[in-house]
Amino acid sequence: MAVSVIPTPISWHPARANNTTLLIHRSSTTTNPLIRRHSTVVCSSPLKSSNSAEEKRELLKQYGLDPDEFLSDPTPSKSRRKREQQKSGRGERVGSAPPERMKPRETHKLLQVLGGTARRKKLLSPKSMDVRPMMEVVKGAAFGILQAAGGCPTSLRPGRWLDLYSGTGSVGIEAISRGCSEAHFVEMDPWVVSDVLRPNLEWTGFLDNSVIHTVRVETYLERTKGDPFDYISVTPPYMLVDYEILMKQISESSVIGDDSFIVVEYPFRTDMHETCGCLVKLADRRFGRTNLAIYGPKWAQKKGRS
């Protein structure tokens, strides 16, 4: 209850609002007949239930009064109260667990180069499942088909390799190890590039034969110009791409030519076309829930099928 003290005889006028009785007193003094002074006293008292401080402040504002003059402890705004709680550490539940800190991403060496000059060298890969390297059995089958289609079962025809969604770089590294002169790696995750891909290239000694593009695959395909690649590997995260759109973008880009080969890893129950631009499907294999499609020039069609 707040009272402002006013002299002169009292004349009270009751008013009621929101279960609160307001006694409004108006008086006047005429010490000077030319000057008339008015004063007001407001007294509030709860009836059946007490109002919150916010309701009292609103009620006083409705009568044109300053709440801070009548309430001894003005209620701070919600935003101000929240800032004060954050500074003092209050407002948290007792015994509540502290917020979890993001754990640093870790790597391990479970992959290896299967053939060529870097055979049996171990490669880094993330422990988490956000990067899924091509399985070694799938990778071995893909390179076997490519080498047979190129007319050299023991190695790849010399050329340039484009590793889309490269991740660990295991496919492009395998290509250099087996005879490719150069490999381009397209990976959008900076941590994967700095802590996995680049160390793998340094460890195998293929860094000088490599070009890393830290960009989205879609952006790279739109922007790249120049000569087509001899080999292209496509190993995207299954659930994050539309294969219909992706293969159409590849077929319309400048990365493929009349003599290019494309290796596509895709999930079970995904329909893949028989052609990709000017290239035809040479092989389509299934490995559990993983499928492997290989496209190439028509002259390699008989050699690639087995």
Side-chain angles (χ1 to χ4, degrees):
M1 176 175 178
V3 180
S4 63
V5 181
I6 304 174
T8 72
I10 299 174
S11 175
W12 299 97
H13 302 276
R16 185 185 300 272
N18 296 332
N19 294 331
T20 300
T21 300
L22 296 179
L23 300 180
I24 303 177
H25 157 253
R26 298 187 179 276
S27 65
S28 63
T29 58
T30 57
T31 56
N32 189 328
L34 299 178
I35 301 175
R36 186 173 183 179
R37 299 177 180 175
H38 295 275
S39 59
T40 301
V41 174
V42 176
C43 300
S44 64
S45 61
L47 294 178
K48 293 182 179 180
S49 60
S50 60
N51 293 331
S52 65
E54 289 290 344
E55 292 175 341
K56 292 178 181 178
R57 293 174 66 85
E58 291 296 328
L59 188 58
L60 289 170
K61 289 179 181 179
Q62 292 177 7
Y63 285 91
L65 302 175
D66 186 0
D68 291 339
E69 294 182 4
F70 294 93
L71 297 176
S72 57
D73 185 15
T75 304
S77 62
K78 291 183 179 180
S79 59
R80 177 184 167 191
R81 186 163 56 243
K82 187 175 180 179
R83 288 195 300 268
E84 292 176 351
Q85 288 178 352
Q86 289 176 349
K87 290 181 180 180
S88 61
R90 293 177 297 177
E92 300 180 357
R93 293 184 179 180
V94 177
S96 60
E100 293 185 3
R101 294 183 178 179
M102 184 177 293
K103 295 181 180 180
R105 299 168 75 177
E106 299 177 345
T107 60
H108 52 188
K109 285 190 174 183
L110 295 182
L111 303 176
Q112 66 175 348
V113 183
L114 301 180
T117 58
R119 184 185 179 191
R120 294 183 180 176
K121 281 200 171 185
K122 295 289 185 180
L123 301 177
L124 291 170
S125 62
K127 285 186 177 181
S128 59
M129 295 300 293
D130 52 350
V131 176
R132 181 191 51 78
M134 177 183 280
M135 293 188 300
E136 291 186 351
V137 63
V138 180
K139 184 169 64 174
F143 279 92
I145 296 171
L146 289 176
Q147 290 173 180
C152 185
T154 58
S155 63
L156 290 172
R157 292 184 302 118
R160 298 162 65 237
W161 188 288
L162 175 62
D163 190 356
L164 299 177
Y165 305 96
S166 59
T168 64
S170 65
V171 180
I173 289 173
E174 189 78 33
I176 300 175
S177 179
R178 291 176 182 248
C180 275
S181 56
E182 182 182 87
H184 287 241
F185 300 87
V186 182
E187 172 56 49
M188 63 175 289
D189 190 330
W191 178 84
V192 173
V193 171
S194 62
D195 288 46
V196 180
L197 175 56
R198 185 176 292 276
N200 282 339
L201 292 173
E202 292 174 347
W203 167 242
T204 53
F206 296 152
L207 186 60
D208 293 338
N209 304 83
S210 305
V211 180
I212 301 174
H213 306 271
T214 309
V215 67
R216 293 178 60 88
V217 168
E218 296 81 1
T219 304
Y220 176 81
L221 292 174
E222 291 174 358
R223 296 178 180 177
T224 187
K225 304 294 180 183
D227 297 333
F229 288 87
D230 299 283
Y231 303 94
I232 303 168
S233 56
V234 186
T235 56
Y238 291 162
M239 300 297 107
L240 299 182
V241 298
D242 185 321
Y243 277 82
E244 182 78 20
I245 297 175
L246 175 61
M247 297 307 296
K248 183 176 185 297
Q249 189 175 14
I250 292 174
S251 66
E252 295 175 352
S253 69
S254 63
V255 299
I256 67 169
D258 295 338
D259 295 324
S260 299
F261 290 87
I262 304 178
V263 178
V264 185
E265 187 182 45
Y266 66 96
F268 181 56
R269 294 180 179 175
T270 300
D271 295 328
M272 299 295 292
H273 293 298
E274 291 298 315
T275 61
C276 181
C278 59
L279 308 177
V280 296
K281 188 186 290 184
L282 303 179
D284 198 340
R285 303 283 181 83
R286 179 180 174 184
F287 303 87
R289 297 179 62 86
T290 299
N291 285 48
L292 179 70
I294 296 181
Y295 297 88
K298 292 182 179 180
W299 58 259
Q301 196 165 16
K302 292 183 179 180
K303 296 179 182 179
R305 291 191 183 277
S306 58

